[in-house]
Amino acid sequence: MESSVPDYLVEAGAGAVEVTALDKAALAPWLAGQPETVRAWVAATGFKAEDGAVCLVPAADGRLGRVLLGLADQDDPWAFAALPGRLPPGDYRIVPEPESRAATQAALAWSLATYSFERYKKRAAKTWPRLAWPEAADRAQVQRSHDAITLVRDLINTPAADMGPAELANAAEQMAARFGARLRVIVGDGLLAENYPAIHAVGRAAASHRRPRLIDLAWGDEAAPKVTLVGKGVCFDTGGLDLKPSSGMKLMKKDMGGAAHVLGLASMIMAAGLPIRLRVLIPAVENSVSGDAMRPLDVLATRKGLSVEIGNTDAEGRLILCDALAEASAEAPALLIDMATLTGAARSALGTDLPALFSNDDRLADDILRAGEAEAEPVWRLPLHKPYRRMLDSKVADLTNASDSPHAGAITAALFLQEFVAPGVAWAHLDLMAWNGASRPGRPEGGEALALRALFRAIAGRFPPL
């Protein structure tokens, strides 16, 4: 996990090929200033500056002279991700030099376009084209974003056989060592001894080979404002005794995507040196099937003291989160943010690209929404609609973990979590997919980081680096 400048961003060299990005309106004025040979070549290739179109223009000596990139939207942060996979190896530079925001986006997009998960493949490494750092790019921002996003992708893409609770704790341990953070891990029956009964109940079915645990990372000045991140770490989810069908189980290695996201966000915070006391809590389990598995209509204890009737063993993520949120709330942090691959209902409502945001604090929600717009990483706020709380009523316990209603599943899940957040704590919950179902430039099929830069911007806006 050593940090390094992304491999395919380099210092500008004299021989770098110029890359110019143009939308349809800008193409004709640009061509008017070019030699007839260039105009003729562009016309012959049929380049119309359509979104993602690429035109390789030869120089007089037959070598590559320049590259044209078509844009549909000048503000598209992924525009330059279309190039690395379509250009021959060599050095390139953007002309004219973009302003700071565009320069930073272009550098990050180029870097992420070179990402591939090849841990299990035996083949020669690809040689990618290299981009000269745009002069106005915020290199530190590109670096920490690149490191965080690739970390999230790598963790999620790793098969569950090699990314269980222990391996997730190892990833946190490496991060703690890199940034000088403190790490404590409570394992197995230690969860019962320290009053994390819901985490233990979900993970005990796999305890013979994969003991559940609570990963607890802390960094920063103890006297600084407290910011706590909680991530769902279900390293594989069979659904428990309410077993998922094969189609629903296939991608469940990604059910620790919330944990991967909070580790990625934590790395950005620590790399930037934000003046906060950061805490990261990750309940890490495998939701498995065994004679010791929790059953439908069992009643579980929780850290807060509320009893929970099990309406569905496949609604396990909220159970492990509830213990972690109760612990986080006990410190009354200035901000509490949890991230989880929690409900299919959120994906049905918003699709795979748009995380659902819930918050008990309008200012915090507005900060995140504005940050999402500024970083071109939108999220969408859904309501904590109080009348739906009745759907979580149980006849035998304080609440149930799963409503019998087929409606408002993302909202009722968020309302369940809210029961474990102390009054007065500014809290945000993000329900996200953490997966690309198909490849796009810079965003290959597989594990994906969503809203990381937006959340970092929102947090840094409150607690800017000194």
Side-chain angles (χ1 to χ4, degrees), residues 229-253:
L229 309 177
V230 176
K232 174 186 170 184
V234 178
C235 295
F236 193 79
D237 182 17
T238 67
L241 293 178
D242 288 317
L243 195 68
K244 292 178 182 290
S246 59
S247 60
M249 203 185 302
K250 184 175 182 180
L251 291 183
M252 283 302 100
K253 71 175 185 178

Side-chain angles (χ1 to χ4, degrees), residues 51-113:
D51 187 31
V54 176
C55 181
L56 306 184
V57 181
D61 61 3
R63 299 181 184 181
L64 179 58
R66 67 165 60 245
V67 176
L68 304 181
L69 171 66
L71 298 179
D73 182 355
Q74 290 284 355
D75 292 328
D76 180 4
W78 293 102
F80 280 85
L83 290 174
R86 300 172 66 181
L87 297 179
D91 290 354
Y92 298 82
R93 64 188 181 95
I94 301 172
V95 176
E97 282 281 349
E99 50 81 27
S100 179
R101 180 172 183 270
T104 301
Q105 289 179 337
L108 180 60
W110 190 289
S111 173
L112 292 175

Side-chain angles (χ1 to χ4, degrees), residues 151-168:
L151 171 66
V152 172
R153 290 176 176 180
D154 283 349
L155 291 175
I156 296 172
N157 283 329
T158 302
D162 294 325
M163 185 50 64
E167 290 80 9
L168 197 54

Side-chain angles (χ1 to χ4, degrees), residues 104-153:
T104 301
Q105 289 179 337
L108 180 60
W110 190 289
S111 173
L112 292 175
T114 68
Y115 173 86
S116 60
F117 182 72
E118 298 188 348
R119 175 172 172 176
Y120 303 94
K121 291 184 177 181
K122 291 183 178 180
R123 65 185 186 190
K126 179 178 174 62
T127 300
W128 295 90
R130 307 190 304 176
L131 178 69
W133 276 104
E135 291 181 3
D138 184 335
R139 296 194 184 195
Q141 181 178 336
V142 172
Q143 179 68 72
R144 61 177 174 259
S145 297
H146 171 272
D147 288 351
I149 292 169
T150 55
L151 171 66
V152 172
R153 290 176 176 180

